[in-house]
Amino acid sequence: MNITTIILAAGKGTRMRSELPKILHKIANRPLLQHVYDMSRQLANNTIKIVYGHGAELVMDTLKNLEAGWIEQKQQLGTGHAVQQVAGQIADTDTVLILYGDVPLLKLATVKQLIANVNDESLALLTVHLENPTGYGRIVRDSAGQVTKIVEEKDASAIEKLIKEGNTGIMAAQGDKLKRWLNRLNNNNAQGEFYLTDVIEMAVSDGVAIVTNQPETIDEVLGVNNRIQLSHLERVYQQEQACQLMEQGVTLIDPARFDLRGSIEKLGIDIVCDINVILEGNNSIGNNVKIGANTHIKNSIIGDNVEILANCVIENSVIGQGSRIGPFARLRPETVLAEVVHIGNFVEIKKSSVATGSKINHLSYIGDTTVGAQVNIGAGTITCNYDGVNKFRTIIEDGAFIGSDTQLVAPVTIGKNATIGAGSTITKDSPENQLTLSRVKQVSITDWQRPVKQD
Ligand code: UD1
Ligand code: CA
């Protein structure tokens, strides 16, 4: 059986009050449409068609990598009209699944159930029971409980408005039948639109039964129409992810204050995340890692037994096992730390490698540098890697000791076991095993008098 999934995504989303088309707004840093796409990608033998329209250029630019057929709906004349744009590309024997690009949390299991309900004699419809169904199309059933039609809120009678079973808009039907019904749609209704929902009544009159199923939770079928709903679904999604992580052996001190905006490639056990941790992009985190409060980690690999103290920002970095980072450390892209490295407060590292056991504990900038093993870099050390035009590398060999408040003017090499005296500005290579320092000789003025204030 082949499936054609049609994702309706042409609408404007006026209530977002945004320059950005609604489906490009994000949940967990992923566009709404991408959520729907990623879920439907998991269906076997599935071809995805996306009906787009509003903000066409921006949508295409942002999501052109999706493996889908893109069909432009130039004017948004209704959900039925949107599906009509794809009709020419639907094979008779396909099962056609219709999804909305602004309903991001729909579950694969729900969709699979829907598809399983489609056959020669039935159309599958996802409905939802709502306390307050305002705005939703209502599911009208006969005395035997069979669905007879969907009536839109604006076309509904006072009695129909009392119906609490709403149309999610999500349905599945056989290709040949759906195409036949699409051909017969008209826009004689309160909104002058071509309603996809009108196919229900047509199906019934063709002797096709409407089989309904419901999602496990209402959140699954909620659409995003404004930023309040967007934030609600963000929290729902984050809560789900947090639960999955906890089930896999991660302690989240407060799952409501944890955000995963991406994926975790390798996840160890006994990871502890304090509050306000953000994991973004694709990270790997080893066993027994502790991540302190207010820490943002992006596209990084964290080894076993690493401790990251509060308020660190880590991006595109590798942290070897047993290392300790922070508090208040910033690891910028291409930082590679070997095992048992200590990076302390107010230290920034960029495009540098630091070998085993080295320590950079306070107030330093290390950029474009190769740091050997067992190196100790004193407080306030700065690699001067940039002359305003070009960047140069600093090499600090194994066992070197860099005194506090030192500037290493690159390109420069500090030899093995070299010691640099505090307060030095090093502009030439410093030989191994020796003390190098550049410091004005200290003098004391014996007969100096401190000025005295006259009043
Ligand atoms: C639709 C359903 C309604 C259901 C509700 C659930 C119809 C006629 N009504 O109503 O029964 O309860 O969804 O939210 O189907 N879209 C297009 N092109 C268009 C119009 C819409 O691509 O011309 C897309 C929108 O971008 C959106 C989806 O279709 O993703 C639904 O459109 P929307 O305008 O929100 O439908 P409703 O009128 O709310
Ligand atoms: Ca809607």
Side-chain angles (χ1 to χ4, degrees):
M1 183 192 69
N2 287 320
I3 300 170
T4 292
T5 297
I6 302 174
I7 306 177
L8 303 188
K12 180 160 192 241
T14 312
R15 283 177 285 158
M16 295 299 284
R17 298 189 184 279
S18 177
E19 296 273 332
L20 202 62
K22 177 162 75 176
I23 50 159
L24 293 184
H25 281 265
K26 291 174 178 177
I27 283 181
N29 209 27
R30 202 156 33 117
L32 298 176
L33 177 60
Q34 175 107 39
H35 282 261
V36 181
Y37 171 86
D38 288 345
M39 183 277 292
S40 52
R41 279 280 285 180
Q42 296 174 61
L43 292 166
N45 305 318
N46 183 24
T47 308
I48 300 174
K49 309 280 185 192
I50 300 172
V51 180
Y52 70 111
H54 187 79
E57 233 167 79
L58 202 51
V59 171
M60 285 299 271
D61 270 4
T62 314
L63 296 171
K64 56 179 173 289
N65 292 333
L66 302 192
E67 272 177 55
W70 291 85
I71 297 100
E72 188 169 0
Q73 185 195 19
K74 290 215 164 68
Q75 275 182 295
Q76 283 84 61
L77 303 180
T79 50
H81 180 258
V83 178
Q84 277 172 348
Q85 311 307 304
V86 193
Q89 303 179 33
I90 298 172
D92 286 351
T93 52
D94 279 2
T95 294
V96 181
L97 168 68
I98 291 158
L99 304 177
Y100 285 1
D102 57 357
V103 178
L105 302 191
L106 188 65
K107 292 257 194 309
L108 185 62
T110 306
V111 166
K112 281 186 171 166
Q113 180 60 57
L114 197 74
I115 290 168
N117 289 348
V118 177
N119 61 39
D120 259 351
E121 283 113 41
S122 62
L123 176 153
L125 183 65
L126 189 66
T127 71
V128 61
H129 295 275
L130 296 159
E131 246 344 283
N132 176 9
T134 305
Y136 282 76
R138 305 297 206 284
I139 308 297
V140 180
R141 291 179 185 266
D142 63 17
S143 54
Q146 296 298 313
V147 175
T148 56
K149 62 174 181 173
I150 297 175
V151 57
E152 289 304 295
E153 165 107 6
K154 290 195 174 117
D155 302 286
S157 66
I159 286 172
E160 286 167 336
K161 280 188 185 143
L162 297 175
I163 299 169
K164 300 235 167 183
E165 186 179 12
N167 173 34
T168 64
I170 291 153
M171 64 173 82
Q174 264 187 354
D176 54 345
K177 297 201 177 64
L178 182 68
K179 285 190 285 185
R180 208 165 64 222
W181 299 323
L182 287 171
N183 270 329
R184 286 158 45 192
L185 291 180
N186 64 56
N187 62 354
N188 304 328
N189 53 53
Q191 300 183 79
E193 284 183 7
F194 295 90
Y195 290 165
L196 179 62
T197 44
D198 285 351
V199 305
I200 302 299
E201 205 173 354
M202 296 179 196
V204 172
S205 75
D206 282 2
V208 172
I210 312 300
V211 181
T212 58
N213 66 308
Q214 284 78 38
E216 208 171 300
T217 66
I218 291 174
D219 292 326
E220 253 190 80
V221 296
L222 289 183
V224 173
N225 296 303
N226 60 41
R227 294 183 203 238
I228 297 167
Q229 292 166 339
L230 182 69
S231 73
H232 171 71
L233 292 185
E234 173 81 38
R235 281 343 297 165
V236 170
Y237 186 72
Q238 291 299 345
Q239 184 71 34
E240 271 174 22
Q241 294 191 123
C243 287
Q244 282 165 16
L245 289 177
M246 291 188 286
E247 275 161 9
Q248 292 174 72
V250 176
T251 293
L252 299 175
I253 301 292
D254 181 359
R257 285 180 290 172
F258 167 83
D259 288 77
L260 173 58
R261 300 176 187 160
S263 53
I264 301 184
E265 192 163 311
K266 278 194 202 150
L267 180 76
I269 56 166
D270 295 318
I271 295 163
V272 179
C273 293
D274 209 329
I275 60 167
N276 299 331
V277 167
I278 300 172
L279 303 178
E280 189 175 329
N282 187 15
N283 291 293
S284 288
I285 305 176
N287 294 322
N288 208 22
V289 168
K290 293 189 171 57
I291 305 177
N294 312 315
T295 287
H296 188 165
I297 303 176
K298 185 173 175 184
N299 298 330
S300 293
I301 300 171
I302 318 288
D304 294 343
N305 302 311
V306 166
E307 185 171 12
I308 299 167
L309 300 167
N311 301 299
C312 291
V313 178
I314 296 167
E315 184 180 356
N316 284 70
S317 293
V318 178
I319 303 178
Q321 57 172 284
S323 293
R324 196 186 66 214
I325 315 297
F328 299 100
R330 180 174 184 205
L331 305 184
R332 290 171 55 201
E334 294 180 60
T335 292
V336 178
L337 309 180
E339 295 166 13
V340 207
V341 167
H342 289 183
I343 305 297
N345 38 225
F346 308 107
V347 172
E348 174 181 347
I349 303 191
K350 186 216 79 172
K351 216 176 187 175
S352 295
S353 61
V354 181
T356 306
S358 290
K359 298 183 167 78
I360 311 169
N361 272 331
H362 330 268
L363 300 155
S364 290
Y365 171 64
I366 302 297
D368 304 302
T369 299
T370 303
V371 179
Q374 310 298 336
V375 167
N376 194 319
I377 295 185
T381 297
I382 294 169
T383 55
C384 309
N385 57 331
Y386 185 52
D387 64 7
V389 180
N390 298 299
K391 299 234 165 101
F392 300 96
R393 288 201 75 80
T394 299
I395 296 170
I396 303 173
E397 294 180 347
D398 294 351
F401 182 102
I402 314 293
S404 297
D405 190 28
T406 291
Q407 303 91 52
L408 302 169
V409 182
V412 71
T413 297
I414 310 301
K416 210 169 164 187
N417 295 320
T419 300
I420 306 297
S424 295
T425 300
I426 300 296
T427 55
K428 285 179 280 190
D429 291 354
S430 306
E432 54 183 60
N433 296 316
Q434 295 180 24
L435 169 68
T436 300
L437 70 171
S438 79
R439 200 189 276 163
V440 182
K441 276 231 159 57
Q442 182 169 325
V443 290
S444 300
I445 314 295
T446 45
D447 57 354
W448 182 77
Q449 299 263 316
R450 188 188 284 181
V452 181
K453 235 185 208 161
Q454 324 269 207
D455 10 47

